[in-house]
């Protein structure tokens, strides 16, 4: 490791977090790189760091302390190095493994297409983890926001994040369209219009399975009972549909003793309700109208029933499946209404990239918006926690923005490090501060009788509430 990165000296009184054999070893004085962020990120980071340090001091009485280490990215990096994402910044985040960042600008007209995407791809941070839960007192547009408590696992490297596109009118687009029309679609009525921009949507077995694997493991580790695969497989059968199929394979092959799929639960439940049920009768219950389907389809469902009973009837039958993690799937557009109408039915969502992008923000809106929505980008041996909102440059350096997203991303960081006492202290303090109606302007305008606080004042009140 280097003694400095981007000309900034590494804290001499800290030690790096280590990773070996799938396990992190966190010292009492870990060096944690941070990127303060662009625009409002400057105000937010100052407030958040004060909260973090106070919580660690309160929780551990000086026996533990984070050694924060600034690394450069975004506008600050460009001003100092003429590079939006210096090599030293990437090196530091790799060397020290676990880091946190504020919002970053996406350069317009040149530079890196998206700094966030670049960090995720360079470190193969394939899990975008977004916990969405309600904190009492936060203004919400729904009647019962407290019913929503989900953790979204969004695939972070494929789908639209692959970034494979060709602009309309370019030779590359023309070549791509010609190849697809003349070779891949030859003899078909399908054609791509020649005046199209085109993009490629890759979804792999590797990317899909490792994402679903992480989601199921999280459910096991955190006593969550349902994992839902979110997809658009009814239309995109070989990408979104394949994600669904591969997800079920992970559940049934790698977590067989701990999981039951939704269809398996139907089959076992039907048999428990009527032990004399034949496979044909069971098949008719899980596929209404099966008698009108093709013979081959019906035979396939009957074979499925027989296979489920033979393979897991003993291990999962007699109601034992009810104590397993239920793995189901929902169409992407359906899940938007599901989390509003039946939020209590969902706990962990595993999604492809674009679907996860939409559903994360929609879910956050139910519990107060992106100002209080944390996020983590996690790979094998690396993690970057971050604010999920933008830079809001018109509010930069005005000390008015809600620091909740970065503060709660810090909660995720501390949980990830195993410093759960500090994490819970921050959460309780934030909820208490909001309960006192001492909030930044975004919440104040939706709260009757609230006091509008500055970013720094909100952090100060949080710190005070830790001692009460």
């Amino acid at each position: 490791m280097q003694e400095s990165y981007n000309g900034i000296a590494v804290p001499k009184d800290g030690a790096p977090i280590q990773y070996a054999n799938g396990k992190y070893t966190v010292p009492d004085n870990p060096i944690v790189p941070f990127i303060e962020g662009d625009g409002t990120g400057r105000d937010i980071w100052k407030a958040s760091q004060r909260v973090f340090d106070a919580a660690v001091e309160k929780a551990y009485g000086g026996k533990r302390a984070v050694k924060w280490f600034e690394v450069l990215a975004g506008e600050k990096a460009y001003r100092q190095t003429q590079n939006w994402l210096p090599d030293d910044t990437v090196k530091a985040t790799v060397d020290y493994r676990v880091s946190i960042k504020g919002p970053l600008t996406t350069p317009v007209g040149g530079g890196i297409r998206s700094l966030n995407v670049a960090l995720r791809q360079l470190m193969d941070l394939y899990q975008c983890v977004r916990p969405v839960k309600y904190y009492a007192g936060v203004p919400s547009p729904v009647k019962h926001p407290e019913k929503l408590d989900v953790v979204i696992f969004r695939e972070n490297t494929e789908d639209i994040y692959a970034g494979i596109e060709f602009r309309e009118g370019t030779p590359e687009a023309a070549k791509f369209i010609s190849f697809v029309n003349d070779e891949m679609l030859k003899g078909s009525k399908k054609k791509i219009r020649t005046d199209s921009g085109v993009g490629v949507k890759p979804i792999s077995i590797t990317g899909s399975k490792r994402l679903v694997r992480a989601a199921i493991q999280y459910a096991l580790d955190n006593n969550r009972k349902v994992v839902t695969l979110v997809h658009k497989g009814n239309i995109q059968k070989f990408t979104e549909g394949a994600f669904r199929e591969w997800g079920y394979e992970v559940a049934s092959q790698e977590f067989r003793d701990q999981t039951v799929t939704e269809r398996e639960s139907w089959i076992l439940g039907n048999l428990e309700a009527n032990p004399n049920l034949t496979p044909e009768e069971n098949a008719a219950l899980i596929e209404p109208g099966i008698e009108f389907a093709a013979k081959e389809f019906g035979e396939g469902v009957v074979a499925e029933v027989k296979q489920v009973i033979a393979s897991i009837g003993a291990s999962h039958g007699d109601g034992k499946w009810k104590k397993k993690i239920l793995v189901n799937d929902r169409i992407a557009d359906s899940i938007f209404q599901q989390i509003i109408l039946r939020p209590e039915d969902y706990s962990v969502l595993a999604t492809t990239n674009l679907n996860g992008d939409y559903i994360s923000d929609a879910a956050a809106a139910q519990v107060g918006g992106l100002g209080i929505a944390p996020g983590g980008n996690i790979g094998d041996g690396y993690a970057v926690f971050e604010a999920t909102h933008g830079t809001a440059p018109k509010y930069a350096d005005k000390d008015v923005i809600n620091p909740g997203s970065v503060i709660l991303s810090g909660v995720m960081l501390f949980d990830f490090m195993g410093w759960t006492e500090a994490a819970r202290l921050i959460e309780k303090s934030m909820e208490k501060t909001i309960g006192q109606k001492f909030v930044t302007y975004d919440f104040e305008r939706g709260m009757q009788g609230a006091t509008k606080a500055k970013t720094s004042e909100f952090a100060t009140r949080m710190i005070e509430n830790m001692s009460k």
Side-chain angles (χ1 to χ4, degrees):
M1 294 182 182
Q2 302 171 192
E3 294 185 357
S4 67
Y5 297 79
N6 300 311
I8 302 173
V10 174
K12 295 187 180 300
D13 55 347
I17 294 172
Q18 304 287 347
Y19 180 83
N21 300 318
K23 301 287 185 182
Y24 291 88
T25 302
V26 180
D28 288 338
N29 56 342
I31 297 171
V32 177
F34 73 90
I35 297 168
E36 67 176 9
D38 296 327
T40 56
R42 294 184 287 274
D43 285 338
I44 291 171
W45 178 255
K46 291 173 188 174
S48 299
Q49 184 177 337
R50 289 172 52 219
V51 170
F52 299 153
D53 289 341
V56 171
E57 172 64 31
K58 176 72 175 175
Y60 307 113
K63 294 180 180 178
R64 289 178 174 175
V66 176
K67 303 302 176 181
W68 302 106
F69 173 46
E70 183 176 14
V71 294
L72 303 178
E75 295 171 2
K76 191 172 187 178
Y78 192 78
R79 286 195 298 269
Q80 295 187 28
T81 70
Q82 286 69 60
N83 191 334
W84 291 98
L85 184 62
D87 291 343
D88 260 11
T89 296
V90 177
K91 182 97 169 48
T93 54
V94 169
D95 286 350
Y96 292 98
R97 296 194 175 275
V98 180
S99 55
I100 188 169
K101 60 179 281 296
L104 287 175
T105 299
T106 297
V108 177
I112 296 174
R113 182 182 176 201
S114 166
L115 297 177
N116 292 334
V117 174
L119 284 172
R120 293 166 188 168
Q121 292 182 338
L122 287 167
M123 299 170 69
D124 197 23
L125 305 174
Y126 61 90
Q127 307 166 45
C128 180
V129 183
R130 295 276 296 272
V132 182
K133 62 181 287 189
Y134 182 67
Y135 292 90
V138 174
S140 168
V142 299
K143 290 182 178 179
H144 294 288
E146 72 281 356
K147 291 184 178 182
L148 182 66
D149 183 0
V150 298
V151 180
I152 299 165
F153 279 72
R154 170 192 177 200
E155 206 291 320
N156 221 6
T157 63
E158 299 186 325
D159 196 2
I160 64 165
Y161 265 23
I164 303 172
E165 288 188 293
F166 305 104
R167 186 191 298 272
E168 181 276 328
T170 62
E172 293 82 5
K175 184 176 181 180
F176 184 93
I177 292 169
S178 176
F179 171 73
V180 173
N181 284 345
D182 299 342
E183 299 291 334
M184 302 303 293
L185 296 177
K186 187 176 182 180
S188 166
K189 293 182 179 180
K190 294 180 181 179
K191 295 293 178 185
I192 300 175
R193 293 189 179 96
T194 56
D195 59 350
S196 298
V198 290
V200 179
K201 177 191 177 78
I203 291 181
S204 70
I205 295 178
T206 299
S208 299
K209 285 194 169 184
R210 67 180 182 176
L211 187 278
V212 175
R213 187 178 299 122
I216 295 175
Q217 188 62 55
Y218 179 90
L220 284 168
D221 293 342
N222 292 275
N223 196 31
R224 288 179 173 260
K225 298 303 183 184
V226 182
V227 174
T228 301
L229 309 173
V230 180
H231 62 93
K232 192 62 178 171
N234 57 326
I235 302 300
Q236 297 180 307
K237 300 184 186 301
F238 305 129
T239 50
E240 299 276 340
F243 174 84
R244 171 188 177 275
E245 292 173 10
W246 295 327
Y248 276 128
E249 286 179 8
V250 171
S252 61
Q253 295 173 10
E254 300 181 30
F255 296 92
R256 180 68 284 176
D257 292 342
Q258 297 96 351
T259 66
V260 63
T261 69
E262 191 167 47
R263 283 176 70 86
E264 290 170 346
S265 74
W266 296 342
I267 293 168
L268 295 174
N270 291 338
L271 194 59
E272 287 160 20
N274 181 3
N276 297 318
L277 206 64
T278 67
E280 288 76 14
E281 291 168 335
N282 204 327
L285 289 173
I286 66 171
E287 287 286 354
I290 193 173
E291 66 270 23
F292 303 114
K295 180 181 177 181
E296 293 78 9
F297 177 81
E299 290 174 345
V301 178
V302 172
E304 177 190 358
V305 170
K306 291 179 179 178
Q307 188 274 330
V308 168
I309 294 172
S311 62
I312 63 171
S315 60
H316 290 54
D318 295 326
K320 292 191 285 290
W321 61 270
K322 296 176 183 178
K323 297 181 180 179
K324 310 290 185 182
I325 290 176
L326 177 67
V327 180
N328 57 18
D329 72 275
R330 296 292 182 267
I331 301 297
D333 43 302
S334 171
I335 200 69
F336 281 90
Q337 69 163 344
Q338 289 286 307
I339 63 167
I340 295 173
L341 299 176
R342 308 179 61 142
E344 65 275 10
D345 290 351
Y346 299 92
S347 183
V348 176
L349 306 181
T351 84
T352 53
N353 184 271
L354 183 58
N355 294 329
D357 199 5
Y358 295 151
I359 197 65
S360 295
D361 285 10
Q366 290 184 222
V367 299
L370 293 181
I372 200 169
N377 300 285
I378 301 171
D380 295 330
Y382 305 100
V384 179
F385 298 93
E386 66 171 348
T388 59
H389 55 71
T391 58
K394 72 176 182 177
Y395 295 112
D397 305 311
K398 294 183 179 179
D399 197 21
V400 297
I401 289 293
N402 188 340
S405 184
V406 168
I407 289 175
L408 291 175
S409 295
V411 169
M412 292 182 69
L413 180 148
F414 287 130
D415 277 330
F416 188 82
M417 288 167 45
W419 291 17
T420 55
E421 299 86 357
R424 299 292 77 74
L425 195 58
I426 295 170
E427 273 195 309
K428 290 178 182 177
S429 175
M430 174 176 281
E431 192 156 24
K432 186 172 183 178
T433 303
I434 293 170
Q436 293 168 345
K437 296 188 176 184
F438 189 82
V439 292
T440 49
Y441 81 95
D442 55 323
F443 286 174
E444 181 268 341
R445 61 191 177 188
M447 275 186 185
Q448 188 174 4
T451 298
K452 182 165 65 174
K454 295 180 179 179
T455 309
S456 57
E457 292 172 339
F458 182 80
T460 298
R461 178 65 67 90
M462 278 191 64
I463 293 167
E464 292 171 352
N465 282 331
M466 290 179 194
S467 301
K468 295 179 180 179

